[in-house]
Amino acid sequence: MELSAWDREVPYTNEKTGFSTTLYNINVVATALGRTSQTIRKWEISGVIPKTPFKSDSRRLYSKEQIDILVECAEKAHLSTGKKISQTSFTSNVDKKWKELFKKIFG
């Protein structure tokens, strides 16, 4: 990756599959979900969301598609109402949709 993880947008193309997207830092994810970046890190470490395969300078990056999936699944799980994640299908839905996405990206 040519740009540093501090940049808000990092272009990405998988050479094997030709899949192109834009990667964003964790702050963009946090803002999209109305959470803090610390919460997103905790979710990843604890397995609430799968680990992102994208990193630059040891910093997490997320594709636009990953962010869209997180937002969609959070809305369906009604996380904005304060519902506990453990009482929803948020984690399993994100996991399923990310696996489908990663097949497209990585082949």
Side-chain angles (χ1 to χ4, degrees):
M1 286 173 220
E2 299 165 10
L3 302 175
S4 77
W6 290 105
D7 295 311
R8 292 184 68 79
E9 295 184 4
V10 179
Y12 172 83
T13 300
N14 183 290
E15 293 179 12
K16 178 182 172 187
T17 63
F19 187 94
S20 290
T21 190
T22 302
L23 304 177
Y24 298 91
N25 67 30
I26 198 167
N27 295 323
V28 174
V29 179
T31 299
L33 291 170
R35 300 291 198 274
T36 65
S37 56
Q38 184 177 6
T39 296
I40 306 306
R41 279 187 212 89
K42 285 180 181 179
W43 282 2
E44 191 175 289
I45 291 166
S46 66
V48 171
I49 63 173
K51 292 183 186 222
T52 182
F54 305 109
K55 302 239 193 265
S56 178
D57 300 328
S58 299
R59 299 192 187 279
R60 295 166 176 85
L61 296 173
Y62 299 83
S63 71
K64 174 175 180 349
E65 294 80 8
Q66 286 175 282
I67 297 168
D68 290 345
I69 289 169
L70 287 170
V71 169
E72 176 188 334
C73 291
E75 288 173 355
K76 284 184 181 177
H78 303 289
L79 294 186
S80 64
T81 63
K83 209 173 207 184
K84 291 184 179 182
I85 289 177
S86 61
Q87 297 173 335
T88 71
S89 57
F90 175 76
T91 298
S92 61
N93 288 340
V94 170
D95 187 55
K96 178 183 174 187
K97 289 179 180 276
W98 277 22
K99 283 179 182 174
E100 293 169 3
L101 173 63
F102 294 157
K103 283 181 187 175
K104 289 180 190 175
I105 295 174
F106 302 111

